[in-house]
Every structure is written in structure tokens, then in C-alpha cells.
Amino acid sequence: MYQPISGFSKQSKEQKIDWLAKTYLKNSPEAKNIIKQYWNTDQKLQQLHDEFSENTISNYYLPFGIAPNFLINNKLFSIPMAIEESSVVAAASKAAKFWGTRGGFKTKIIDTLKVGQVHFSFVGDFDKLSSFFKKIQPKFQEAAKPITQNMEKRGGGIKSVQLKDKTNLLPDYYQLHCEFETVDSMGANFINSCLETFADVLEKEAQLYTDFSSEEKEIEIIMSILSNYVPECLVRAEVSCPLNEFSDTTTIPGKQLAEKFVRAVKIAEKEPYRAVTHNKGIMNGIDAVVLATGNDFRAIEAGAHAYASKNGKYSSLTHAEIDGENFKFSIEIPLALGTVGGLTGLHPLVKLALQILGNPSAKQLMEVVAVAGLAQNFAAIQSLITTGIQEGHMKMHLMNILNQYKATETEKKVLVNYYKNHVVSYSDVAIQLEKLRQ
Ligand code: MEV
């Protein structure tokens, strides 16, 4: 049995690695080398990365790829994507090329409001709480002035503070439900600081409110925190083309393929088992851009899936239809993103990714990210309803399989060529390698 360690965070990086190696890695020099092999030789850069988090001992790389040729609102973009899964960047690029010759992607920002809540308990008369809230409402803005001043200069700030009776959910449960505009920042720190100020005001003013009984004066703040559910920070992206232009490399006529496509999306709208995988494919594209641009993919994931359940049942985030002689495909997704603050000004690759995108505003980044999700879903469904996903996927995965079998550069060259006309599978790659090696 291992003993718990105390003071781990205070140890140096070397000490942490020594302890880990001794405790879990049989003190293997090889294991220590693996950890150190990912250190950056530029000490300043390494320190920067170490300080993003805590107890860091090394770096965990993700491939940083580019999907070029995205025509979005008549402007060309190359989209940076950080993702480890093979096929994703290739699929995005393929979809970009397809739609690039069919008018490209069109986008629209529906709204940019973000939400935060002060959750509190109040034991007493709601009418009195309501009057109290009306009386102290200006004090929320006033108390938060030192925090909101800069944000207001940039065009943002507090948009509303409402009192909500939630006693139908839990006894004595109320909220301050607050809306914010945070312009180009994701705004988590701004929102949470405002909320904690509101909570203070609420607690202190209740003590002074003479209409409250002594019990009513004891408002208990449970917590103050932003919500990652942002159905009003919403973007829409769409593509459309005449049915006869829908077919590309397949021999299936455009109309027939479009009908099959629409049916595949309808299945995801109705059937949660399929919807989850369908949306997972969308998130392949979305998360990759969100990560590359230094945004919080966990927040985006949580918000997107909540939105996918907004009608009480988990459903597809994309929708497709045939409208007369046209095929239409769209996504609507909440995306609380930032292009200033957080990692965006710190991480050199994030800065570069934003530069590649033309240093977008948060709204422009929302548009690009939504497009990446729609493109990814388009490519996945196209494969699923024609060749099946494995053909393309395994081709892209070939290099991973070859690396697993420790293929040499020459063997890789020969087999990449061979699999241009053959179906890739783990067992077949093993057989072909064996043949080459004999
Ligand atoms: C794999 O990462 C994503 C897909 O499963 C998405 C889908 O099925 O639509 C291919």
C-alpha cells in the first residue's frame, strides 16, 4: 500500500518525477526519459506552460492541423484544429472544398448574452422579498462599478438582474438570474466577480431591511457562479445548393443522395442513441477549433449538449431539409467563446491560431467554430450514407497502425501506395508487412 504524500505541490519538478518514478514506475530511467522528452528546450516557453496549471511535470502534445479553403460569408479561411483523432481534419477539408464551389457557408449571430446566477435560500414571504429586491436593484450595478467600468468601455456589462422564485424546485430556493454581455472575452472571471458582488449586496442589504423579520434577514447565499448553459449566446451556420449539385464523387444522383442525407439527419433528430454519436462528430470539429484558439472546450461541450436537449429529449444539433429544388443543411449552437483574455494572449500557438483566422472578434470566432461543426457533420454523414465510415477512416488511421507495427520509412511508403487500392484493416496491414519483411 502506498502512503499518501504531503507537500507534493511544494516539491520541485525533478522531485515530483523522482517520487512518481519510485512509487509507480519501478524507478525506471526510461519512464523518466519519456516524461522529460516532452520538455521544451526553450526554458521560458517551458515555464509558461508549467504555469498554466499545477503540479506539472511535462507537456501533453496534441497535433495542430489546418483545414484550408473554408469559404465563410464570401471570405476564405484556413481553420486551425488541435485534435488527436485521424480523419477529422481531412474530413473538414473535404467538406470545405465541396461547399467552396457551392456558395460556401453562411452564418448569423443570433445573440451573445451570457448568464450567471446567485443561488440563495430565503425563509419567508415572497412578496416582501420581491419588494426588497426592487428597492435594492440599483445597488447591484453600483457595487459592481469597479468591475464593470472597463467592460462597459468595450461595449459590454451587466444586462439584467432578475429575482427568480425557484421554490417549485426546492423549498426556500431563489435566484438572482443575471445576464451579461462580455464582448470579445469569454467573461467567466468578469461574470463570477460581478455575481459575488451581487451576493454580498443581497446578504448585507437584507440585514438592514426593516420590513424583514429576523428570520427573513438571514438570506443564505449558497453559491454564485456563471452558467455554461448559454442558449442566448447562439450562432447559426448553413449551407445550401440545388439538388442536382449535391452529388459529388459518388454515382448516386444528387436528389437521391440528398434525400438519404436528410433521412440520416432526421434519424439523429428522433433517436437519442444516434443523436449522441451524430453530435459527437459535430464536436470533433468544434472542440478542435475551440482548443486551438485557447477556449474552454468543457464549457462548450456542456452547453452544446444541454442545448441539444432543450426540448426535453436529446436530439441532433444540425438539421437538413429539401426545400423545393434545394438542399439545406444548418446548425444552431450556443458558443460562449473569447478572443481576448485567458490563454488567448499567453499561449504562442493560440495567438498564432487566432492570427491565422485574421484575429477575429468573439462573434467571428463563433461563426468559424459553428462552420467547423457543420462541415464535420456533413463529411461524416456523406461517408456514412455512401461508402461507410471505415473506408476513409482506416485510410487516415493507416499511419497509426504502421507506427504501431514499427514500420520503417520504406515500408510505410510501399504500404501507403498499396492501400490506395485496398481496404485497410489491422490484420491486413500485419500480413502485408510480414510479406514485405520476408
Ligand atoms: C467519429 O469520431 C465521429 C462519427 O462517428 C460521427 C457520426 O457518426 O456522425 C463518424
Side-chain angles (χ1 to χ4, degrees):
M1 267 284 279
Y2 298 125
Q3 294 299 315
I5 181 167
S6 64
F8 185 68
S9 67
K10 308 260 172 349
Q11 290 187 352
S12 71
K13 208 196 262 190
E14 287 285 356
Q15 286 170 325
K16 287 185 181 100
I17 294 170
D18 279 347
W19 178 81
L20 265 186
K22 268 194 214 118
T23 317
Y24 299 105
L25 306 167
K26 300 186 179 126
N27 219 0
S28 134
E30 213 175 280
K32 286 190 189 177
N33 276 345
I34 293 175
I35 295 171
K36 293 181 181 177
Q37 154 184 313
Y38 287 93
W39 286 2
N40 202 295
T41 47
D42 179 337
Q43 300 220 341
K44 265 194 168 164
L45 190 65
Q46 185 52 57
Q47 193 183 345
L48 180 77
H49 281 72
D50 286 344
E51 288 172 2
F52 285 150
S53 180
E54 306 79 35
N55 292 345
T56 42
I57 54 165
S58 192
N59 307 305
Y60 186 97
Y61 292 174
L62 278 182
F64 181 90
I66 297 290
N69 301 323
F70 270 91
L71 187 63
I72 306 175
N73 302 330
N74 300 322
K75 202 175 148 198
L76 266 179
F77 288 85
S78 288
I79 302 188
M81 301 176 89
I83 186 158
E84 85 299 347
E85 187 176 330
S86 53
S87 305
V88 170
V89 178
S93 310
K94 198 173 158 201
K97 197 169 167 199
F98 180 94
W99 286 108
T101 54
R102 289 163 179 80
F105 296 81
K106 300 282 184 278
T107 63
K108 190 171 177 241
I109 298 291
I110 297 169
D111 214 334
T112 56
L113 280 184
K114 288 161 192 167
V115 169
Q117 296 166 320
V118 178
H119 305 267
F120 66 96
S121 300
F122 168 78
V123 183
D125 178 357
F126 178 66
D127 288 340
K128 278 208 247 169
L129 179 66
S130 211
S131 310
F132 162 71
F133 172 75
K134 273 186 202 123
K135 186 166 172 244
I136 66 160
Q137 201 167 26
K139 299 201 176 185
F140 293 126
Q141 301 267 358
E142 224 173 273
K145 261 260 138 15
I147 310 165
T148 57
Q149 255 165 6
N150 272 342
M151 187 60 85
E152 279 167 12
K153 275 187 208 143
R154 288 167 31 211
I158 303 160
K159 290 289 151 188
S160 68
V161 181
Q162 295 165 50
L163 173 68
K164 296 235 165 151
D165 180 349
K166 293 282 171 178
T167 50
N168 60 327
L169 303 179
L170 279 177
D172 310 325
Y173 172 33
Y174 299 86
Q175 289 173 354
L176 295 183
H177 183 93
C178 315
E179 290 174 323
F180 302 87
E181 170 58 60
T182 61
V183 203
D184 285 333
S185 62
M186 194 263 189
N189 286 329
F190 169 77
I191 294 174
N192 289 335
S193 299
C194 286
L195 292 171
E196 287 183 9
T197 306
F198 298 167
D200 255 15
V201 169
L202 192 68
E203 217 173 14
K204 289 197 180 113
E205 291 296 326
Q207 290 289 334
L208 304 174
Y209 194 59
T210 47
D211 285 359
F212 276 163
S213 66
S214 53
E215 196 178 29
E216 286 167 333
K217 284 184 179 182
E218 299 305 323
I219 282 183
E220 188 190 10
I221 305 295
I222 305 297
M223 57 192 157
S224 310
I225 187 75
L226 93 168
S227 171
N228 291 121
Y229 187 44
V230 282
E232 283 171 299
C233 188
L234 201 63
V235 55
R236 182 185 161 84
E238 61 186 37
V239 284
S240 68
C241 74
L243 288 177
N244 59 3
E245 288 177 22
F246 189 68
S247 210
D248 188 19
T249 49
T250 71
T251 48
I252 311 171
K255 182 165 183 287
Q256 198 180 323
L257 192 62
E259 279 167 356
K260 197 171 176 188
F261 191 105
V262 170
R263 188 141 175 93
V265 178
K266 290 268 175 273
I267 291 171
E269 283 171 359
K270 301 284 175 205
E271 159 60 67
Y273 276 93
R274 172 57 200 149
V276 172
T277 318
H278 176 99
N279 289 346
K280 187 273 181 188
I282 295 171
M283 301 316 284
N284 277 345
I286 295 210
D287 284 348
V289 191
V290 168
L291 256 177
T293 57
N295 277 278
D296 180 346
F297 66 93
R298 286 86 57 207
I300 296 298
E301 281 277 344
H305 296 296
Y307 191 71
S309 317
K310 67 180 187 306
N311 296 325
K313 188 176 167 193
Y314 193 87
S315 179
S316 165
L317 286 163
T318 55
H319 303 284
E321 60 170 323
I322 291 171
D323 181 10
E325 284 306 301
N326 279 311
F327 165 81
K328 289 185 177 168
F329 184 43
S330 63
I331 186 168
E332 223 176 70
I333 186 164
L335 292 171
L337 296 171
T339 54
V340 299
L343 275 198
T344 58
L346 288 176
H347 194 303
L349 259 182
V350 166
K351 283 203 252 181
L352 188 98
L354 289 168
Q355 208 180 334
I356 292 169
L357 290 172
N359 291 321
S361 64
K363 281 184 184 172
Q364 287 163 336
L365 185 60
M366 283 167 76
E367 294 174 323
V368 170
V369 171
V371 163
L374 186 67
Q376 208 64 51
N377 190 222
F378 175 77
I381 296 174
Q382 279 288 53
S383 296
L384 286 168
I385 63 170
T386 55
T387 56
I389 206 76
Q390 283 309 84
E391 187 185 285
H393 187 76
M394 290 309 279
K395 276 223 162 84
M396 295 298 158
H397 197 53
L398 176 61
M399 210 40 83
N400 287 342
I401 303 176
L402 288 170
N403 283 334
Q404 248 170 37
Y405 287 126
K406 301 200 166 22
T408 63
E409 286 311 306
T410 323
E411 287 168 344
K412 281 181 188 171
K413 247 188 209 154
V414 175
L415 290 185
V416 164
N417 204 33
Y418 172 82
Y419 282 110
K420 280 186 181 148
N421 307 309
H422 293 85
V423 177
V424 180
S425 73
Y426 276 89
S427 53
D428 195 62
V429 172
I431 292 168
Q432 298 309 323
L433 265 176
E434 196 55 40
K435 275 191 199 161
L436 277 182
R437 284 169 183 175
Q438 266 163 15

